[in-house]
């Protein structure tokens, strides 16, 4: 079976505060749209989920199911996009695919050397558990260097900085 996952997003920051976020995700046919906009000290988050109906009832035309909702979130929340190392100090993140608050626990696993496409970098490895489960590595310049997680089918997905 072929699996397709496409995620596109745009973030606007002012200092360490997220000003806006727009994202679309196609997760093997399930489509998600997330829009977040700063309103004073909060983020207004609008989300839509469009899930194809696989087995349609006799009278059902097989139209997709739409779920739309909105939520106000703390203005200090960080997205799960992984670009900001400060997220390792958070217990709740804005899930950029689903547009919901995801509770996480992050543990510092210590120093490790990561091989990029061109050199070795000294990094700190963090393990996320809870609503988000993955390991991430950041270098001493706070750059996201590597991520690794187990996909739904049990396979390992790994991203490594190409420089």
């Amino acid at each position: 079976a072929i699996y397709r996952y496409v995620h596109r997003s745009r973030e606007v920051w002012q200092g360490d505060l997220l000003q806006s976020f727009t994202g679309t995700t196609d997760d093997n046919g399930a489509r998600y749209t997330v829009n977040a906009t700063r309103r004073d000290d909060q983020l207004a988050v609008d989300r839509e989920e469009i899930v194809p109906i696989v087995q349609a009832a006799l009278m059902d035309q097989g139209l997709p199911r739409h779920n739309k909702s909105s939520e106000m979130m703390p203005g200090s929340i960080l997205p799960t996009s992984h670009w900001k190392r400060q997220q390792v100090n958070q217990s709740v993140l804005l899930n950029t695919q689903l547009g919901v608050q995801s509770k996480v626990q992050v543990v510092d696993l210590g120093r490790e050397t990561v091989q990029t496409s061109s050199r070795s970098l000294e990094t700190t490895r963090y393990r996320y558990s809870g609503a988000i489960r993955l390991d991430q590595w950041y270098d001493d310049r706070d750059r996201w260097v590597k991520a690794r997680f187990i996909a739904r089918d049990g396979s390992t997905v790994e991203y490594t900085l190409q420089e």
Side-chain angles (χ1 to χ4, degrees), residues 95-160:
N95 186 308
T96 57
Q97 175 177 321
L98 304 175
V100 298
Q101 296 184 57
S102 292
K103 293 181 181 178
V104 295
Q105 298 82 41
V106 183
V107 177
D108 182 334
L109 296 180
R111 303 289 287 171
E112 287 188 17
T113 302
V114 171
Q115 182 64 45
T116 69
S117 60
S118 63
R119 62 185 172 137
S120 295
L121 290 173
E122 289 304 310
T123 67
T124 302
R125 181 179 183 175
Y126 298 91
R127 175 153 298 151
Y128 293 58
S129 60
I132 298 167
R133 297 168 184 257
L134 80 154
D135 285 7
Q136 297 209 98
W137 291 256
Y138 290 91
D139 70 9
D140 294 337
R141 292 171 30 202
D142 292 338
R143 294 184 306 165
W144 180 39
V145 174
K146 183 177 175 179
R148 180 187 304 143
F149 62 94
I150 305 300
R152 279 182 253 174
D153 66 356
S155 61
T156 299
V157 177
E158 188 170 288
Y159 301 109
T160 305

Side-chain angles (χ1 to χ4, degrees), residues 6-68:
V6 178
H7 176 82
R8 291 187 172 90
S9 64
R10 181 174 188 269
E11 299 174 13
V12 176
W13 291 83
Q14 186 172 19
D16 287 332
L17 292 177
L18 181 64
Q19 300 299 305
S20 66
F21 173 87
T22 56
T24 59
T25 305
D26 180 339
D27 187 356
N28 210 36
R31 296 188 316 265
Y32 305 89
T33 302
V34 177
N35 291 296
T37 305
R38 176 160 298 282
R39 293 199 185 137
D40 299 320
D41 63 347
Q42 293 188 308
L43 280 180
V45 180
D46 298 314
R47 56 187 168 258
E48 180 178 18
E49 174 187 32
I50 303 171
V51 180
I53 298 173
V54 178
Q55 295 179 337
L58 191 56
M59 298 302 290
D60 189 341
Q61 297 300 308
L63 299 175
R65 182 183 81 221
H66 289 256
N67 293 321
K68 288 185 178 184

